Amino acid sequence: MKKAGRTSQQFTPLRDNHVVRSVPITPDILDESLLREIARRGGVKRYPAHMVLINEGDQADSLYILLSGRVKVYSSSPDGKDVVIATHGAGEYVGEMALDGRVRSASVITLEPTACSVVSGDNLRDFIAAHPDFALHLIHKLIRRIRHATESVKSLALEDVYARVVRLLTDLSEPTEDGRREMRERLTQRDIAERIGASREMVSRIFKDLTLGGHIDVKSARISILTGLPARW
């Protein structure tokens, strides 16, 4: 993956209409007033889809506040294999792990055209000191990240690939009025393989059996769970 280069667009001052709040409030999304206040500490920059914002191993401490669009956090092996750590959307932020002064622990790439307010490390530290509510949000987010990492390690160590597929489908889906469950985002089999640390070929075999068994339906990378998923494959 190539490092992100400079774009021709310059930072612009934040205006209220840059902040897109079309998503529901969740523990990962900042309160709107707090989001606006910290976003004003940085300049707005727009990125096209598939642009790398953060490179694993870089020495930098800027915080990227997502005003619109979506990004993927991932880590790469020397042979080019990617493992997806998380995805984030409007109202969330990435890059906070570099506050300890060490190098970036993961890479971040845009999944679609994305606008960010990029806040420097110095401005971020001043904001944290002056706003304990943001500091508390940051602490809670880091705790959730640690819990997620712990669950991921347990899953990789104790569960087979099928169990990890079922866990992902369950975690990322919501019930619908007709009794099904539908994934909140479009995921290809490669996307799923990258998230659970498996090969695409193994995920493809599992999906083929689940589809033939009438348990799932896949249309345009939109996965619907039609019935309860079998406990074992």
Side-chain angles (χ1 to χ4, degrees):
M1 187 73 69
K2 294 182 179 180
K3 289 180 178 284
R6 293 183 180 273
T7 68
S8 59
Q9 294 175 313
Q10 299 297 315
F11 286 105
T12 58
L14 178 72
R15 300 184 182 89
D16 285 349
N17 59 7
H18 282 118
V19 181
V20 178
R21 300 310 304 272
S22 59
V23 291
I25 297 295
T26 72
D28 286 322
I29 296 177
L30 286 169
D31 172 81
E32 184 171 355
S33 60
L34 193 60
L35 172 67
R36 292 179 186 277
E37 190 167 355
I38 186 172
R40 289 192 181 98
R41 299 293 183 104
V44 175
K45 197 166 187 179
R46 293 176 177 80
Y47 303 92
H50 313 302
M51 168 71 77
V52 176
L53 306 184
I54 295 173
N55 283 285
E56 184 176 358
D58 279 358
Q59 185 76 52
D61 61 355
S62 296
L63 183 76
Y64 290 74
I65 301 169
L66 303 181
L67 306 177
S68 64
R70 293 173 59 246
V71 301
K72 176 177 72 175
V73 183
Y74 67 97
S75 185
S76 301
S77 65
D79 61 0
K81 182 178 179 181
D82 291 344
V83 174
V84 177
I85 298 170
T87 59
H88 299 291
E92 299 182 77
Y93 50 88
V94 294
E96 73 280 0
M97 294 292 285
L99 277 171
D100 63 356
R102 301 177 66 180
V103 299
R104 298 289 195 184
S105 59
S107 298
V108 178
I109 188 171
T110 60
L111 295 173
E112 58 190 56
T114 299
C116 299
S117 176
V118 185
V119 182
S120 70
D122 288 340
N123 282 337
L124 176 60
R125 282 181 280 273
D126 290 343
F127 189 83
I128 291 174
H131 295 81
D133 46 353
F134 177 76
L136 187 61
H137 187 279
L138 179 60
I139 290 170
H140 285 168
K141 181 177 181 180
L142 294 176
I143 290 173
R144 288 191 298 274
R145 177 173 290 187
I146 293 170
R147 290 186 186 277
H148 175 73
T150 300
E151 289 299 319
S152 295
V153 170
K154 288 167 59 179
S155 178
L156 287 171
L158 303 176
E159 296 179 336
D160 59 20
V161 174
Y162 175 74
R164 299 204 297 272
V165 169
V166 170
R167 176 190 290 272
L168 182 71
L169 295 182
T170 302
D171 289 347
L172 297 184
S173 62
E174 297 176 335
T176 60
E177 293 180 356
D178 59 3
R180 303 182 180 192
R181 294 185 66 88
E182 188 166 304
M183 299 291 285
R184 292 188 293 270
E185 55 183 296
R186 298 181 186 275
L187 293 176
T188 65
Q189 293 177 5
R190 182 175 297 279
D191 293 332
I192 292 173
E194 290 178 349
R195 292 200 185 195
I196 66 172
S199 69
R200 188 197 63 78
E201 291 74 18
M202 178 61 76
V203 172
S204 177
R205 289 171 55 195
I206 292 172
F207 265 59
K208 180 180 179 180
D209 286 353
L210 289 176
T211 301
L212 291 175
H215 298 291
I216 65 172
D217 181 51
V218 183
K219 293 179 179 177
S220 301
R222 177 71 71 184
I223 304 168
S224 297
I225 303 174
L226 310 179
T227 66
L229 299 175
R232 296 182 181 279
W233 183 43

